[in-house]
Each structure stands twice: as C-alpha cells, then as structure tokens.
Amino acid sequence: MSTGVTISSISDYAILGCGSVGYAVAEELVEQGKDVLIIDRDESRVESLRDQDLDARTADIREPEAADLVAERDVVLILASDVESNKRAVEHIREQNDGQFVVARASDPVSGDELEELGADVVINPSSVIAESALRALESGELEYNASKLADLIEETDERLAIITQDSPDPDSIASAAAMQAVADHLGVDSDIIYLGDVGHQENRAFVNLLGIDLVQWDEIEDYSVYDTVTLVDSATSEELDLEVDILIDHHEPEQEYEPEFVDIRPNMSSSSTIMTKYIQEFDMNVSEEVATALLYGIRAETLDFKRDTTPADLTAAAYLYPFANHDTLEQVESPSMSPETLDVLAEAIANRDVQGSHLVSNAGFVRDREALAQAASHLLNLEGVTTTAVFGIADETIFLAGRSKDIRINIGKVLDDAYGEIGETAGHSTQASAEIPLGIFTGIEISEDTRETLLELTEEAVKRTLFDAMGVEGTEGSNGN
C-alpha cells in the first residue's frame, strides 16, 4: 500500500490500537523503513502481527503500562476505534512525557476537541479523511472525464475552432483563451482567439504584446463560416456573434442562457485561468513559457495577487505554473509605462476627487482613452483611507465610469447596477466594475462645443449624487481628501 504521504526523518514510532486504521498506518511506516512498535490488547491480533514480522506487544492502551512501553518513542499514534480508550491513552502519555508527538483518533468534532484538551498534538477523524479523499477522487475523475469529452469535441472540428473571449477582454480571459488555443494545437486543431470591443488597458496591451498572443477582432473576420466549433471562455458573450456555442468554460455562471454540448463552470475557483491550468495538466502537455506566464498572470490579476477570494485550487495551479513562467515578462506586464493620456486623466481625477468617508468619486472630464478611467480608479484606491473609488469621464456622447473597491462590505458591481442599471449598461463584480450611461439622460441638452462645459458641470452633479446614494453615503457634501 502507498498513500503518497511523506514521512519525516523521525524513525521511532508507536501505534496504540491496531485495527484496520492502525494496521494501514503501520504497513506504510514499515514500508518506508521506520521502526514501529504496535500495542494492542487483543492477543490473537498481536500474534497475527508478529507472524508478519511486525513488532507487536499485548497491553491495554487504557492502562499506564502502555504508556511505559512507548515512553522512548518519538511519535505515538493512538488509533483505536474506541475514543474513550484513546482519551485514557493520551492522559497517561502526557502524565509521563510532554515531549512526545501524539496523534490521536477521534470520532467527531466534540471528541476531537476533548483529545486536543488532553494534550494530543494532532487529531484525526477517519470519517472526515475518507470524505476528503472521496471528494478528491471525484474531482480527479470528473476532470479526466471532462478532458476526454473536451478533446473529442475539439477533434471533431473540420476547419477552425473559434475561441471567444469576453468583450474588451481582461488578463484572465486572454490567458484562458491562450491556454485553450494551446490545447487545440496539442490536439492538432487550428484555432483563432476572437474578441469584441478593445484591448484598451495598458497592462492588457502590454500583456498581449510581450507574450505574443495573437488576437483577432471580430469585425476584421471576412468569413465566419470557417468556424465550425465555438468555445466561450471566461464570461464571453455571443449575442453579437450569431454563432452556436459548443463549449463553455468559466468560473462564473453566465448571464445568458446557452445550450452547449460541453460545459465546465466552477464557481469554487477564482479564475478561468485556474480551470485551464487543470486541463493542461490533465492533457499532460508541455506548457510553453508564454502560456504559463499568461495563466499565472491571469490567476494573479483575478485574485489581486492572491489577496481576493483565493482558493486552494488557485494556489496549486499557480505553484504548478511558477517554474515555467517568465518572471521578467510578468514584471514588465505589471509595470507598463503610462501614456500621456492616462497621466492627464489621472491628474484630472486627483484634482477633482470628492471623498465622503472612505468613498471617492471623481470627474476626469472629457477623455479620449476611456480605459484610462480604470487605471485612474485603481491608482486612487491607494490613497490613505480610501476603500472604494469611481472615476467617470465623457466620450462619444456617453458617460463612462470605472469603479474599484477593496471594501469587503461593498460589491461595486452591484452598486453601479443599482445606480445606473435602469438607464445604462453596467458590468463587473465585487471589486471592479464599469458603467456606460447615455449623456442625454442626465441633461436633455444637445451636445455642441458651446454646451460642453455646461454638460460637464451638470453631469458631475448628477453622477456623483446618484453614485453616493447607491453607496449608502449620507449627504452630498464631501472634500478632496486633504
């Protein structure tokens, strides 16, 4: 038998109570070359153990003599099925020796607490261990099944596979798409990564350019019929694409209803990059430096460098990717140079900031690069005492707003939806979100060169009032945070 457990350099062990659990542990320890002494009160069982060349002695683990027999052992495992006997054994061992490392078997959380109070260093509950093992086996089996089904679908592609990201894709969506393209290439299928909107944020542009990820803008495609298999990764939308979806992979439930042949949605993971890393491992692929770097950055970006909603699956995926990633490239992606437009927007947002409590709202004026609003909102979140930011600006007769929050009590996506959902379009989640609002809704004034400044003033007042109300901030008198 082999459990895959790695035992330390300690070599002297004792097992008190050798039923099925104790025997399994003894067998593993002996297989690893450890010196194991077994104590059990059942004489026939002890004889059977001796017949297998195991060092076994007859004694009642409830009595002090059992503690005497194992006094020289570094580690004592008390594994009888009778918890009361285990409690007595812990008591006697602790009365005699405080230095031994004691592992004791419980039957439920209550008996576990009692064993810890009596001095057990580690308490195990076989039922919990079996349940955890069964869940791990189930997850592994599901992944193997899903990978096989996914491979079958991709290999049925006659011409090309379309891998569609979310609109104006973020790093997690781009990285997941790059990983799916690597999977398709591994299976001998040609594919394109397709996006709508813009790759506007400077970090995202640097991410794509430095890693050499080829993206295709939907409007530039001449013949859509070449895509006979369609995959959506990380909350993509197909409303404007008019294509039937075959594969859907995401860590969020989609807002639209799809009926794809293959679905893998895992809300228990914080990023789609984590899910795609699991598939790369299951396909036993040689992950390229570019894909490993993309996926690692996707996980880090989605979890705010492991500070938001991070799960064990995200951490194990990141640990797997870490040796294969290019960390110099990661540093360049995370610290891109700031464009003059972004610098202007940030300066305007700093000058016009209105802070109420820990909430900051700022008007960046008329902007050319609306992605600069998101960068300004992120930078302003670093101000002392500020936990939620919203920066808005006007472009193309539309108010664009970017929100960011590190306050666990606020879901900025819901805040923007409450504020502007009925009059505009909103998107996002608990820590980052965006809104687009038609300018005329607030003012009713026709836009012209002569009315620009008036529009800006009217818009600022209306947007701030609505947003602060949605945030639950009392009053509208604020400050610039000085």
Side-chain angles (χ1 to χ4, degrees):
M1 151 189 172
S2 179
T3 63
V5 177
T6 301
I7 306 300
S8 72
S9 58
I10 295 173
S11 58
D12 294 331
Y13 294 81
I15 295 176
L16 275 60
C18 195
S20 59
V21 174
Y23 179 76
V25 173
E27 188 178 35
E28 176 67 29
L29 289 172
V30 170
E31 186 176 317
Q32 296 192 26
K34 307 302 181 182
D35 181 8
V36 181
L37 171 62
I38 300 171
I39 306 295
D40 196 278
R41 65 179 178 179
D42 188 325
E43 292 186 6
S44 61
R45 184 178 297 160
V46 169
E47 286 299 322
S48 175
L49 293 169
R50 287 175 177 171
D51 289 341
Q52 298 175 61
D53 294 326
L54 294 171
D55 185 3
R57 304 179 196 180
T58 304
D60 190 336
I61 68 170
R62 297 172 295 182
E63 301 300 328
E65 68 169 306
D68 294 335
L69 290 172
V70 301
E72 301 302 318
R73 300 282 160 161
D74 296 314
V75 178
V76 180
L77 298 103
I78 306 171
L79 303 176
S81 57
D82 179 13
V83 175
E84 292 303 318
S85 297
N86 293 345
K87 291 179 188 177
R88 296 285 297 276
V90 172
E91 284 182 304
H92 294 313
I93 287 171
R94 283 297 177 234
E95 287 171 1
Q96 187 176 101
N97 188 344
D98 267 344
Q100 289 175 295
F101 189 81
V102 176
V103 178
R105 173 179 174 178
S107 60
D108 52 53
V110 173
S111 61
D113 291 341
E114 292 171 345
L115 285 163
E116 285 183 353
E117 291 175 4
L118 290 170
D121 295 291
V122 174
V123 173
I124 58 172
N125 185 339
S127 298
S128 299
V129 172
I130 292 170
E132 290 173 7
S133 179
L135 289 173
R136 284 196 299 270
L138 176 61
E139 182 180 343
S140 176
E142 284 181 333
L143 181 59
E144 182 179 354
Y145 172 78
N146 283 347
S148 175
K149 187 176 178 182
L150 178 61
D152 289 343
L153 267 174
I154 292 175
E155 288 174 333
E156 289 174 3
T157 303
D158 293 322
E159 293 191 60
R160 296 187 76 80
L161 170 72
I163 304 168
I164 304 172
T165 71
Q166 61 183 221
D167 293 356
S168 301
D170 64 9
D172 185 33
S173 187
I174 295 169
S176 301
M180 178 59 75
Q181 189 170 55
V183 169
D185 185 62
H186 175 72
L187 298 172
V189 174
D190 294 329
S191 63
D192 291 322
I193 301 174
I194 301 169
Y195 72 100
L196 286 82
D198 303 303
V199 182
H201 196 292
Q202 287 177 174
E203 280 189 23
N204 296 350
R205 291 198 295 265
F207 176 58
V208 170
N209 294 335
L210 287 169
L211 293 174
I213 300 172
D214 291 326
L215 302 180
V216 179
Q217 225 285 342
W218 175 254
D219 294 334
E220 297 175 359
I221 299 171
E222 295 180 0
D223 183 9
Y224 304 121
S225 65
V226 298
Y227 301 113
D228 47 344
T229 305
V230 177
T231 298
L232 303 187
V233 289
D234 196 45
S235 298
T237 175
S238 67
E239 277 188 343
E240 299 179 46
L241 305 180
D242 193 27
L243 292 175
E244 185 176 340
V245 176
D246 302 293
I247 299 167
L248 173 61
I249 296 176
D250 204 340
H251 66 112
H252 289 303
E253 292 287 347
E255 294 181 2
Q256 296 173 242
E257 290 187 7
Y258 301 104
E259 294 183 358
E261 192 169 343
F262 178 89
V263 179
D264 190 354
I265 298 174
R266 305 196 210 178
N268 63 323
M269 296 184 183
S270 296
S271 72
S272 295
S273 294
T274 299
I275 301 172
M276 290 310 304
T277 300
K278 300 298 182 185
Y279 278 113
I280 282 178
Q281 291 176 285
E282 185 62 32
F283 283 117
D284 196 23
M285 296 167 49
N286 291 322
V287 61
S288 69
E289 180 179 274
E290 292 76 18
V291 171
T293 305
L295 288 170
L296 182 56
Y297 182 61
I299 295 170
R300 288 173 56 171
E302 201 69 9
T303 61
L304 293 183
D305 215 7
F306 308 109
K307 294 190 286 286
R308 175 187 72 195
D309 301 332
T310 307
T311 68
D314 301 315
L315 295 173
T316 56
Y320 167 77
L321 296 165
Y322 190 88
F324 304 110
N326 186 318
H327 298 278
D328 291 335
T329 300
L330 276 175
E331 187 173 346
Q332 292 180 66
V333 170
E334 291 169 339
S335 304
S337 58
M338 186 176 290
S339 70
E341 165 72 2
T342 301
L343 191 60
D344 289 343
V345 170
L346 179 58
E348 194 75 12
I350 292 173
N352 295 333
R353 67 192 186 277
D354 185 350
V355 181
Q356 297 191 21
S358 62
H359 309 304
L360 180 152
V361 178
S362 185
N363 181 2
F366 292 92
V367 298
R368 294 187 301 277
D369 180 7
R370 66 193 194 210
E371 289 294 332
L373 298 171
Q375 290 173 269
S378 296
H379 280 290
L380 290 172
L381 201 58
N382 294 321
L383 290 176
E384 183 177 357
V386 172
T387 62
T388 304
T389 63
V391 179
F392 63 93
I394 300 173
D396 302 325
E397 301 186 11
T398 302
I399 302 166
F400 294 95
L401 187 148
R404 297 291 184 269
S405 181
K406 57 185 179 182
D407 188 340
I408 60 173
R409 299 167 299 178
I410 284 184
N411 183 321
I412 191 64
K414 187 176 186 306
V415 167
L416 295 194
D417 190 57
D418 290 344
Y420 312 115
E422 293 185 1
I423 59 175
E425 295 182 7
T426 64
H429 48 66
S430 61
T431 60
Q432 60 184 52
S434 62
E436 296 181 17
I437 311 139
L439 184 59
I441 285 179
F442 277 117
T443 64
I445 300 174
E446 185 177 344
I447 301 171
S448 68
E449 287 298 321
D450 295 333
T451 62
R452 281 168 62 90
E453 293 305 319
T454 302
L455 281 171
L456 194 58
E457 292 175 8
L458 293 173
T459 298
E460 179 173 26
E461 180 183 350
V463 171
K464 283 186 178 181
R465 183 176 62 250
T466 303
L467 189 52
F468 278 131
D469 286 347
M471 288 178 175
V473 176
E474 295 182 4
T476 57
E477 293 298 323
S479 72
N480 67 358
N482 290 330

